[in-house]
């Protein structure tokens, strides 16, 4: 209305150029327009802060402009920006819309494209993880951990889409565990049966929905190699070993009891803990199969990590040390290529392959 009622073409153009400068408190643009126009314009503000009347003195026509009241706490900065072409202007407006997503993480110029993309998505909707391990992996903040975990998820998802690499990962996990059980002097048949049953269950697409539902209860954010195998199975187990239950500690620390009896008592204590968890799991679900595997492994692993067996204990500590070292390298962008999902995927495969080769070589020395 204000533009149509202007007294000349020059005034119309000046109003169009300065509309962005009008705010709820000062009508800055119109005052500048009054000073620059050859026509005298009188601005009269009504008693209401919402209605402003503008009357050009050189015309018999009255023009009334009503501005919408904007509460102070939602007012936006109306400072005009230099005009640009439509594409640049559109992009600028798009990124300005996400100004509120600014985080304490500063983006550096050498930050990789994949990391930048995931950082932006994290600011839109924060990524989740069962436990934030940024201090454990020497990262600068919880945000850096979550963003890098998401990058690793994408890379591992890409990795398992290659049938030969996926099969290598399955076979290597099975072979290393069998070797460790042999070092402990335990039977491996029960483990192989439980392991193969788990693989068949996971590979059935119709089970995916129930798997994700079960894992969500355990705060596992994604059904992914990192979240399930590395974080939920391995890293959580290492955390538990740092704070074993009192029943386990009392058995291990009793030096008056022979090693054989302590191992048997430890197995019984561990079985009791596993049985209590099995009762809470769905009878034919993912966690039930997971606990079937852990029921076979945990007694041997608990003795291997916490006991004083001269052969088994060093091998268990080797597995833990090598796993943590590999993950430290993976989370270090100076050692791992985060340039693209493809390059990160290749680096992850190399780390897994090298780690498996080192552990296998040490296991074979004592078998």
């Amino acid at each position: 209305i204000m533009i149509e009622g202007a007294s000349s073409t020059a005034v119309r153009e000046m109003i169009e150029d300065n509309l962005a400068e009008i705010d709820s408190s000062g009508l800055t643009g119109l005052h500048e327009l009054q000073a620059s126009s050859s026509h005298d314009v009188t601005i009269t503000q009504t008693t209401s802060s919402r209605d402003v009347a503008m009357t050009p003195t050189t015309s018999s026509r009255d023009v009334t402009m009503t501005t919408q009241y904007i509460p102070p706490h939602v007012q936006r900065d109306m400072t005009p920006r230099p005009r640009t072409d439509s594409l640049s202007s559109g992009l600028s407006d798009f990124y300005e819309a996400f100004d509120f997503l600014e985080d304490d993480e500063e983006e550096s110029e050498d930050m990789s494209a994949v990391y930048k993309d995931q950082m932006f998505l994290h600011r839109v909707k924060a990524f989740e993880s069962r436990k934030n391990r940024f201090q454990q992996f020497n990262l600068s903040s919880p945000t850096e951990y979550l963003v890098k975990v998401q990058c690793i998820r994408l890379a591992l998802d890409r990795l398992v889409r290659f049938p030969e690499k996926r099969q290598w990962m399955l076979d290597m996990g099975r072979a290393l565990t069998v070797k460790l059980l042999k070092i402990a002097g335990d039977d491996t048949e029960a483990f192989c049966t439980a392991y193969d049953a788990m693989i068949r269950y996971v590979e059935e697409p119709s089970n995916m929905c129930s798997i994700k539902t079960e894992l969500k209860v355990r705060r596992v954010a994604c059904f992914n190699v990192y979240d399930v195998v590395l974080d939920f199975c391995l890293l959580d187990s290492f955390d538990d070993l740092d704070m074993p239950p009192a029943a386990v500690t009392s058995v291990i620390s009793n030096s008056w009891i022979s090693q054989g009896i302590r191992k048997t008592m430890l197995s019984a204590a561990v079985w009791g803990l596993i049985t209590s968890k099995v009762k809470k799991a769905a009878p034919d679900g993912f966690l039930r199969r997971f606990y079937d595997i852990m029921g076979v492994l945990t007694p041997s692993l608990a003795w291997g990590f916490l006991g004083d067996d001269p052969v088994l204990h060093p091998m268990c500590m080797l597995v833990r040390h090598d796993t943590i070292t590999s993950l430290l390298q993976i989370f270090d962008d100076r050692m791992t290529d985060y340039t693209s999902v493809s390059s990160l995927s290749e680096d992850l495969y190399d780390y897994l392959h090298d780690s498996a080769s080192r552990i296998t070589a040490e296991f074979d020395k004592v078998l």
Side-chain angles (χ1 to χ4, degrees):
I1 295 172
M2 183 177 68
I3 295 172
E4 293 175 355
S7 57
S8 70
T9 302
V11 174
R12 290 193 191 98
E13 292 177 353
M14 297 176 71
I15 291 174
E16 290 174 343
D17 290 338
N18 290 279
L19 268 178
E21 298 181 17
I22 299 174
D23 58 24
S24 62
S25 60
L27 298 175
T28 307
L30 289 177
H31 283 301
E32 293 177 355
L33 176 61
Q34 181 184 20
S36 61
S37 174
S38 60
H39 299 278
D40 295 325
V41 180
T42 301
I43 310 269
T44 304
Q45 185 164 357
T46 67
T47 55
S48 170
S49 62
R50 306 188 186 188
D51 299 323
V52 179
M54 182 187 74
T55 308
T57 59
T58 59
S59 173
S60 60
R61 297 170 60 188
D62 292 335
V63 181
T64 301
M65 180 189 69
T66 302
T67 59
Q68 183 181 2
Y69 174 71
I70 304 177
H73 64 283
V74 296
Q75 289 181 7
R76 295 188 60 185
D77 182 10
M78 301 300 289
T79 304
R81 295 175 305 198
R83 291 192 172 214
T84 58
D85 61 87
S86 59
L87 176 59
S88 299
S89 178
L91 291 173
S92 176
D93 290 342
F94 173 77
Y95 286 111
E96 267 195 14
F98 290 94
D99 282 348
F100 71 95
L101 297 172
E102 289 183 359
D103 197 272
D104 57 355
E105 291 286 325
E106 295 294 332
E107 294 187 2
S108 60
E109 293 183 359
D110 59 348
M111 188 181 293
S112 70
V114 174
Y115 187 89
K116 280 185 178 180
D117 290 343
Q118 299 311 310
M119 174 67 79
F120 177 79
L121 294 176
H122 173 67
R123 290 173 178 174
V124 175
K125 184 178 181 181
F127 299 132
E128 297 180 353
S129 181
R130 191 166 187 268
K131 182 177 181 179
N132 199 302
R133 302 179 182 274
F134 78 99
Q135 293 177 321
Q136 183 176 2
F137 295 125
N138 299 330
L139 302 178
S140 62
S141 69
T143 296
E144 183 182 0
Y145 175 79
L146 291 172
V147 174
K148 284 188 173 178
V149 163
Q150 184 64 17
C151 294
I152 292 168
R153 287 167 177 160
L154 295 174
L156 288 171
D157 285 344
R158 182 182 186 278
L159 188 62
V160 298
R161 284 198 292 268
F162 293 92
E164 68 281 1
K165 292 181 179 179
R166 182 176 185 276
Q167 191 60 48
W168 175 85
M169 293 169 68
L170 294 174
D171 293 343
M172 185 54 62
R174 192 178 195 269
L176 288 176
T177 308
V178 166
K179 288 178 181 291
L180 189 59
L181 287 173
K182 287 181 178 180
I183 294 173
D186 295 328
D187 182 51
T188 61
E189 184 177 353
F191 163 75
C192 291
T193 300
Y195 185 84
D196 293 341
M198 171 64 88
I199 299 304
R200 288 193 299 271
Y201 181 78
V202 170
E203 289 182 336
E204 176 57 50
S206 61
N207 295 328
M208 193 55 58
C209 183
S210 60
I211 291 174
K212 290 181 178 179
T213 301
E214 285 190 85
L215 290 176
K216 187 176 180 180
V217 175
R218 297 301 302 271
R219 297 181 295 107
V220 177
C222 298
F223 185 71
N224 178 274
V225 174
Y226 179 83
D227 293 84
V228 178
V229 179
L230 296 175
D231 188 50
F232 181 62
C233 295
L234 288 178
L235 296 179
D236 259 18
S237 297
F238 296 157
D239 292 342
D240 291 340
L241 290 170
D242 291 333
M243 296 180 293
V248 173
T249 305
S250 62
V251 172
I252 294 293
S253 60
N254 194 334
S255 58
W256 294 95
I257 304 175
S258 67
Q259 186 182 89
I261 295 177
R262 277 189 291 158
K263 185 176 180 180
T264 301
M265 293 175 65
L266 179 61
S267 297
V270 170
W271 262 109
L273 295 173
I274 297 251
T275 301
S276 65
K277 294 184 177 182
V278 169
K279 291 179 180 178
K280 300 177 183 178
D284 192 37
F286 175 85
L287 289 177
R288 178 59 183 266
R289 288 171 170 78
F290 172 73
Y291 290 132
D292 286 344
I293 295 175
M294 297 307 294
V296 177
L297 290 180
T298 304
S300 298
L301 295 181
W303 177 250
F305 281 104
L306 301 175
D308 52 7
D309 188 293
V311 177
L312 182 60
H313 179 71
M315 293 298 101
C316 287
M317 297 308 295
L318 168 69
V319 172
R320 177 173 183 166
H321 174 75
D322 206 284
T323 301
I324 299 297
T325 300
S326 296
L327 286 171
L328 283 167
Q329 294 173 333
I330 288 171
F331 278 100
D332 189 343
D333 50 29
R334 295 167 299 181
M335 304 182 68
T336 303
D337 187 359
Y338 281 80
T339 303
S340 67
V341 173
S342 175
S343 62
L344 179 57
S345 177
E346 292 301 318
D347 275 4
L348 293 181
Y349 181 74
D350 289 342
Y351 282 127
L352 292 174
H353 194 279
D354 292 346
S355 178
S357 298
R358 288 191 298 269
I359 294 173
T360 299
E362 294 300 320
F363 283 179
D364 288 343
K365 290 179 181 179
V366 299
L367 282 173

